[in-house]
Amino acid sequence: MTPEHEPAKLLEIEDLHVDFLTDRGWTNVVAGVSFDVGPGEIVGLVGESGSGKSVTSLSVLRLLPPAYTRTPGGHVRYRGRDLIGMPQRELRDIRGNEISMIFQEPMTSLNPAYTIGDQIAEGYRRHKGGSRRAAFARAAEMLDLVGIPDAGHRVRDYPHEFSGGMRQRAMIAMALVCEPRLLIADEPATALDVTVQAQIVALLARLRDETGCGILFITHDLGLVAELADRVVVMYAGEVVETAPALDLYDAPKHPYTAGLLSAMPHLGVRGEELPTIPGRTPEPWRMPEGCRFSPRCGHANETCTAAPPEFRIVGEGRGCRCCRTEQLRLVGSP
Amino acid sequence: MSVMKSSAEVPAPGSPEPAPASGPLVDVRDLSVVFRKRRTLAAPRIVRAVNDISFHIDQGETFGLVGESGSGKSTTGRALLKLVPAAAGSVTVAGHDVTRLRGKALRTARRSMQMVFQDPYSSLDPSSTVAASIAEPLIVHEKLSGRAARERVHELIEMVGLRASYADRYPYEFSGGQRQRLAIARAIALNPGFVVCDEAVSALDVSTQNQVINLLERLRAEFGLTYLFIAHDLAIVRHISHRVGVMYLGRIVETGPAERVYTAPAHPYTRALLSAIPDPRRKSERIVLEGDLPDPARPPVGCPFQTRCGHVMDICRQRVPEPTVVEGGGEVSCHLQTSGPTLAGAPLSALPKGPGPAA
């Protein structure tokens, strides 16, 4: 480790733009996203499908296919170093070592032809060196850490011998084997049952407490993020629309989209009553509405909203919001 | 909907909160489903995916079935429509034992039983227009002419809240929520009395999820539909169901009115499932179940939940608990209700604190 100065922020994303090459040419899908993650902090990145949350998280480690994607603007700084312009060789030393990632589909992210232990050991040997035997022992230790019973034996199992929840825990073990400072978890609990989800969330919280790593937790489930995250970043149609400390967001959302998501959370329903919905659907990236991107679906929109795109503004202690009418609105949180 | 009132099975439109009329439309008795997987050089792997379950669904009622993956809830739904054969027991839908039907009689019975699947990407044919997909059951069962089928398709598409002009588009042109609406349009095309919704909203975003649930509710009230609603999301099941069944390892461990099951669960598994629902302002300690569902090919002897239960007693390892009537409605299969600290139908919360394993 180089003893350089330690920036207060682990990860800083600043005005990030990402374009995809489609039939219609270059299409912008992430439009000026900015937020940061501090050491030991858990930040929840929330949005529906198509909001750009996964693209944002993939562009941190530059995992998007370069032939079809480009980053025309913005910075992604990890401890002060910009990852966007970094040569691949340097980036490879960071990937899986200082920043690692967990994906949604544990079955497709594991190689069925190698044992769980081999796959955990591989990254460790790449970054930390050491003998095969030592790396394998380390793999067993990691499996034990993430709560796999009888880890010493199960480390020799193949992925198909693990249940869905165990595979996800193996993925987490793989991501943590080099003791990263930042963990990016992209919907790590989404395909799992609620009871397993609860296990994974409890595990991530414990790992943060024990290792002090920062976690960027990407999900569409506002309930899940509330239990885990310190701060929440809400994305809509490629933009950040609101950031706030987790509980503040639930008590008093500032953006109508956040309020809509909170009211649509299913546990609030009473039988026989119509469930609240957000009318319409997320816009296609090549057909973004004029002005505020949420205005066509917003019950509070007026002429000012469609006239010009609203700025992202500071609206309180640790809070930001992209809504020009927020001061005039009385939005309700989750009860 | 006036065009196709084919038989007497469509009752008068119910009020939004109907007291379910008449007797059970669906009656499941001691149903078991067994899967055999042949293996080379080894005994076949036998899985009792559904093990001796009984429940009923009244006319116009929504019965929610919850449980983790591998609990047998989807297999139960499939067995009700005879998409998988029953190994034992009976499934009576509108007076016919579905498990005994075959050939022409089965085909006729299937007109009144439909299914909506989880993944509208794979349940709609990607190479046909949605009109062709929705028209297929009309042409097969109703022998409608092309023109008549087309009119009916337009009517159905509007009924699920989309524009009739969408009929000639292909599935890839629709969002997930719209596709699920189209799958629902196809399911109700033949005026079925009974619809199995297998994780029908699980793949959708929250805002779209509620749109589809509202649609299902509206259709139920309008056409007197009876639903079996299978989902792993307990909050949604609570919203849509009159009564709920909780499955674990092929067995129903608890049934009852949704309100009672959610506010006063009587089975330790139900309580753990409910506590796993994410809640931004949780007050009580979350119960995190250890470990996984046991291998369904080698279920434990006795109570299926014993390996993960905080209250396990000796008797749980010996005998499968019998169903006991619960205060406030429904039944529970748990030895806590009958042996040891006898609850005799009281909710679990009546148990003294300290859920350590009993001696």
Side-chain angles (χ1 to χ4, degrees), chain A residues 49 193 195 199 251 271 334, chain B residues 68-69 205 207 240 281 289:
Chain A
S49 30
D193 285 311
T195 56
Q199 292 172 352
D251 288 336
R271 230 216 80 74
S334 87
Chain B
E68 294 173 89
S69 36
D205 276 318
S207 63
I240 201 166
R281 280 183 283 275
L289 284 181

Side-chain angles (χ1 to χ4, degrees), chain A residues 47-50 163 165-166 169 190 192-199 201-202 220-224 226-227 247 250-251 261 263-267 269-281 297 333-335, chain B residues 16-18 62 67-69 73 173-175 178 204-211 213-214 217 220 232-236 238-242 269 272-273 276-282 286-292 308:
Chain A
E48 294 184 279
S49 30
S163 71
M166 286 163 73
R169 274 177 272 168
T190 299
L192 306 172
D193 285 311
V194 273
T195 56
V196 187
Q197 247 179 26
Q199 292 172 352
V201 166
H220 68 276
D221 188 334
L222 270 168
L224 206 58
E227 290 226 332
L247 278 180
Y250 288 84
D251 288 336
L261 280 183
S263 74
M265 274 169 67
H267 70 273
V270 177
R271 230 216 80 74
E273 234 170 59
E274 183 128 314
L275 287 173
T277 60
I278 303 174
R281 51 190 275 213
R297 304 176 72 189
S334 87
Chain B
E17 187 55 56
T62 301
E68 294 173 89
S69 36
K73 57 190 194 304
E173 296 177 77
F174 295 93
S175 70
Q178 291 176 323
L204 307 176
D205 276 318
V206 270
S207 63
T208 0
Q209 207 170 49
N210 289 2
Q211 293 173 2
I213 290 173
N214 289 342
E217 272 297 277
R220 187 185 64 82
H232 66 276
D233 188 319
L234 292 122
I236 286 170
R238 177 182 193 170
H239 178 84
I240 201 166
S241 308
H242 298 95
Y269 178 62
L273 261 187
I277 300 177
D279 179 355
R281 280 183 283 275
R282 178 179 306 285
R286 181 183 235 186
I287 304 164
V288 177
L289 284 181
E290 298 286 324
D292 290 304
R308 300 168 81 186

